[in-house]
Amino acid sequence: MRLHQRLAALLPEGRLLPDAVWHRRHRVLLRIAGAQAVLMGPLALALGESLPVAAGVLVAVGYPLAFAALPGAGRRLRSGATTVSLLAASVALVYLLDGLTEAHFHFFVVIGLVALYQSWAPFGIALLVVVLHHGVLGMLWPHTVFGHAAAHHDPWVWAGIHAAFVLAASLAHLASWRLNEQQGLRDPLTGLANRTLLVETADRLLQRRSGPVSVLFVDLDDFKDVNDSRGHAAGDQLLLTVADRLRSCVRAGDEVARLGGDEFAVVVDGGPDTAVTIGERVLRAVAEPLPVGGRPLVIGLSIGVADSTTAADRRAGTLLHNADLAMYRAKGLGKNRLVRYTEGMAQAAEDRATLGADLAVATRAGQLEVYYQPTVELAAGRTTGYEALVRWRHPRRGLVPPAEFVPLAEESGHIVEIGRWVLDRAVRQAAAWSAGSGQPLGIAVNLSPRQLTDDDIVRRVADVLADTGLPAGQLTLEVTEGVLVRDVDTVIDQLHALRALGVRIAIDDFGTGYSSLSYLRRLPADIVKIDRSFVQDLRPGGPSTTLVSSIIELARSLHLEVVAEGVETEVQRAVLDDLTCSHAQGYLFGRPQPADAHRRGDEHAAPPVPAGA
């Protein structure tokens, strides 16, 4: 078998025909073979042959078709049986016409017909039949096979000559289909295989071998941000560089393809361990800075791996779909990592799609709620404002965690509609609380990156302030550092325009994103919110304490207010007090709750709020 596989590997292969196309062609050839079988009997009788000979010809031509019609038979058996029937008609025709030269032309007609299968098996059968027919039968009954004297003396020589002509016809058909199918199988930018060729390569491997075949689905992290910030020419250069590094990481026999956009895939002739090894090699290769537009760029890749041992069926489409699911799981876990497909991912993806469809109507159906979490001035121990946080009360699932639906809303674009609704509700609530207590009360509302780029946020904020009468200084708009990986100049212009209305700007989750020190000076910010990941490990003398102290000192030097997020213990509070952090949020001071759970009765008598809080 190994020798057979090595010899087969030397033959150039054409595209694997899709099932529907192959079966359609097979039905046509089956009808032609059946018609020949029916006509051969009457033709034999018309040429003066006896009834038994005519019956024998009919059986010889028609019998192979029984194998071609077997239920569950594979392509090779069906195409081979049909080819044998067609060639049996060629042999019978030569016999019935006493070796007439023109009768041999039927072989070449058959070669053209079986070329429609686009497989080497029918060609191999044709060569074998020609050699045996012209050699063996030509030696036994030369006058019946050959119509000229030279072949009567050297039947094997002429058998070889006929086989050479059949081989030449086969190669001509092969070249024709190969040249035709090369069109449209390569990605024009990278020169890699496209999706069509990738699927055909995977299907061929899955049909040829019983062992495992794997697929890696590779997606660049935040590629859109590269296009937005550096331009599409830089994006194309990045794709070319990534394509080259992918090629360098695979083995001979593995196929690398660009599926479109920033998505790549690799078909691996091997099991999951081999695929994971290649995937880890890819992550290491791309971790090195990539030269783009004369400047180094560091990007991440999310890679999903699936193999045929975990697939419900051995089809390329199934493997690619499973690897895609695993890739999205890698993105959900924080990007720039490799995740292997497991059976539960398909159900999780279905649940996610269902949740996304439900999210599309959540705002209009009145399923969203705004919860409010207090912000506390540490020195005085008093509440100075609230942060508005959206919650989704699903009719069947109850409260859906924000970490589950907010990223989904970002991806789908529903976050824009949700953000508008939250802004309106929160500002109106703050205006009502301020009027009820006679004291100004601050309110903080989160803005998503999409709202800053996809929505007329400046006009909308101005309108809601005018409608509610809330002074602009009591509204704080929070943005994460992630907005800065988009069009930095546009984002900064939007923030300047918002700040010109009189509202305050807070940088949320500071220290985890992209701005760090480089963009902080350019940002029109008033407040820095220290991410909870730094606050969780706060203790006297701990490494997080040094980091938080540095952030506070940096903010003070830039005349920015500091709010520490995620404060849950008295130890954390004490450390923040020692570091002269001005404000804090966290469960230690209050959990997010609906509006009616805050400031009931005489609680509306809010303590004085510092200007702009």
Side-chain angles (χ1 to χ4, degrees):
M1 280 301 293
R2 288 180 179 176
L3 178 61
H4 164 72
Q5 289 174 353
R6 288 174 183 172
L7 291 175
L10 296 177
L11 299 176
E13 289 186 291
R15 293 175 61 185
L16 191 68
L17 290 175
D19 284 342
V21 175
W22 189 92
H23 284 292
R24 188 162 58 246
R25 295 184 180 186
H26 176 64
R27 285 193 296 269
V28 171
L29 295 178
L30 205 57
R31 293 191 187 102
I32 293 173
Q36 284 193 151
V38 171
L39 293 173
M40 277 298 169
L43 178 62
L45 293 175
L47 293 173
E49 299 291 341
S50 64
L51 186 60
V53 170
V57 170
L58 176 63
V59 170
V61 177
Y63 180 68
L65 298 180
F67 295 94
L70 282 174
R75 287 190 182 189
R76 286 192 176 184
L77 178 57
R78 292 188 177 192
S79 62
T82 306
T83 301
V84 169
S85 173
L86 291 168
L87 289 167
S90 299
V91 171
L93 196 61
V94 170
Y95 167 78
L96 293 173
L97 297 177
D98 290 326
L100 184 68
T101 300
E102 285 75 7
H104 291 266
F105 293 165
H106 192 273
F107 282 99
F108 295 100
V109 175
V110 169
I111 290 296
L113 289 174
V114 300
L116 293 173
Y117 284 121
Q118 297 189 195
S119 168
W120 272 109
F123 288 149
I125 292 172
L127 286 173
L128 181 63
V129 169
V130 167
V131 171
L132 292 178
H133 171 251
H134 289 70
V136 176
L137 297 184
M139 185 174 61
L140 296 176
W141 301 287
H143 293 282
T144 304
V145 175
F146 298 107
H148 53 93
H152 299 167
H153 297 290
D154 298 299
W156 283 107
V157 171
W158 283 93
I161 292 173
H162 279 258
F165 275 106
V166 169
L167 178 60
S170 302
L171 291 174
H173 285 293
L174 173 67
S176 175
W177 98 49
R178 288 305 305 277
L179 289 172
N180 179 63
E181 69 189 18
Q182 286 304 314
Q183 304 174 28
L185 291 179
R186 293 284 168 183
D187 173 56
L189 175 64
T190 63
L192 297 175
N194 63 10
R195 182 184 291 268
T196 301
L197 182 55
L198 180 89
V199 170
E200 290 179 2
T201 301
D203 274 331
R204 186 179 288 116
L205 283 174
L206 289 165
Q207 291 182 16
R208 177 183 297 164
R209 52 174 290 164
S210 58
V213 176
S214 304
V215 169
L216 284 78
F217 199 110
V218 182
D219 186 87
L220 275 64
D221 295 332
D222 304 313
F223 177 70
K224 181 180 183 299
D225 300 324
V226 176
N227 269 341
D228 291 344
S229 60
R230 297 202 181 186
H232 289 280
D236 288 347
Q237 187 180 348
L238 174 60
L239 293 174
L240 285 168
T241 305
V242 170
D244 288 340
R245 297 204 178 179
L246 282 172
R247 286 191 191 98
S248 69
C249 293
V250 301
R251 311 163 305 164
D254 299 333
E255 186 77 77
V256 183
R258 181 187 175 210
L259 303 181
D262 61 337
E263 294 179 340
F264 296 84
V266 183
V267 172
V268 176
D269 187 4
D273 293 338
T274 303
V276 168
T277 300
I278 292 174
E280 291 173 345
R281 192 183 305 154
V282 168
L283 286 173
R284 289 194 298 271
V286 179
E288 298 294 324
L290 306 175
V292 175
R295 293 183 295 165
L297 177 65
V298 178
I299 64 162
L301 297 179
S302 295
I303 303 178
V305 177
D307 66 275
S308 54
T309 62
T310 58
D313 55 71
R314 287 176 63 88
R315 291 190 301 173
T318 302
L319 279 185
L320 199 59
H321 175 69
N322 291 349
D324 189 17
L325 293 177
M327 182 275 293
Y328 273 106
R329 178 60 178 160
K331 284 194 178 295
L333 291 174
K335 303 180 182 180
N336 197 32
R337 66 192 65 218
L338 181 147
V339 171
R340 286 180 58 178
Y341 171 80
T342 58
E343 290 185 6
M345 288 182 182
Q347 185 60 49
E350 184 177 340
D351 292 344
R352 195 167 185 270
T354 302
L355 196 65
D358 293 343
L359 183 60
V361 299
T363 304
R364 294 185 294 276
Q367 298 170 8
L368 299 182
E369 301 175 7
V370 179
Y371 278 34
Y372 299 87
Q373 184 173 28
T375 299
V376 173
E377 183 184 9
L378 286 175
R382 61 175 184 167
T383 298
T384 59
Y386 290 89
E387 179 180 0
L389 301 167
V390 66
R391 295 293 184 264
W392 181 15
R393 192 172 297 279
H394 194 278
R396 295 184 304 278
R397 301 176 52 166
L399 274 178
V400 181
E404 189 172 339
F405 77 84
V406 170
L408 192 60
E410 280 278 0
E411 292 174 17
S412 63
H414 297 313
I415 195 69
V416 174
E417 180 186 7
I418 293 172
R420 293 173 186 168
W421 181 84
V422 172
L423 176 67
D424 184 78
R425 290 295 297 269
V427 172
R428 291 184 186 281
Q429 186 63 67
W433 276 339
S434 297
S437 65
Q439 300 287 340
L441 184 67
I443 190 72
V445 179
N446 292 279
L447 289 185
S448 77
R450 276 186 178 267
Q451 283 179 278
L452 278 173
T453 56
D454 299 346
D455 195 21
D456 187 2
I457 189 63
V458 178
R459 179 184 58 80
R460 192 163 296 278
V461 170
D463 288 346
V464 75
L465 288 174
D467 290 345
T468 61
L470 184 76
Q474 290 176 231
L475 173 62
T476 298
L477 298 176
E478 298 188 4
V479 297
T480 63
E481 298 180 64
V483 300
L484 297 172
V485 299
R486 299 181 177 238
D487 189 338
V488 177
D489 292 329
T490 299
V491 168
I492 290 177
D493 288 345
Q494 287 277 67
L495 294 178
H496 273 295
L498 287 168
R499 202 167 181 229
L501 297 176
V503 304
R504 308 180 81 207
I505 303 297
I507 307 301
D508 200 8
D509 302 333
F510 183 79
T512 62
Y514 301 84
S515 68
S516 300
L517 304 179
S518 58
Y519 290 118
L520 192 55
R521 287 195 173 194
R522 295 180 60 191
L523 288 174
D526 301 281
I527 302 168
V528 166
K529 300 190 74 173
I530 303 174
D531 186 70
R532 66 183 63 249
S533 61
F534 299 116
V535 175
Q536 284 176 349
D537 297 328
L538 275 182
R539 63 180 185 278
S544 290
T545 303
T546 304
L547 287 173
V548 171
S549 175
S550 300
I551 294 173
I552 292 172
E553 288 300 320
L554 172 65
R556 184 180 292 115
S557 68
L558 296 173
H559 307 290
L560 302 177
E561 187 179 294
V562 179
V563 177
E565 297 181 291
V567 180
E568 298 181 358
T569 67
E570 287 292 346
V571 172
Q572 294 166 351
R573 174 180 181 163
V575 172
L576 290 169
D577 252 337
D578 291 341
L579 296 176
T580 66
C581 180
S582 57
H583 291 77
Q585 278 181 288
Y587 290 173
L588 181 64
F589 311 110
R591 293 174 178 268
Q593 295 183 27
D596 59 3
H598 292 286
R599 315 184 65 75
R600 289 193 179 95
D602 58 359
E603 290 183 58
H604 283 294
V609 181

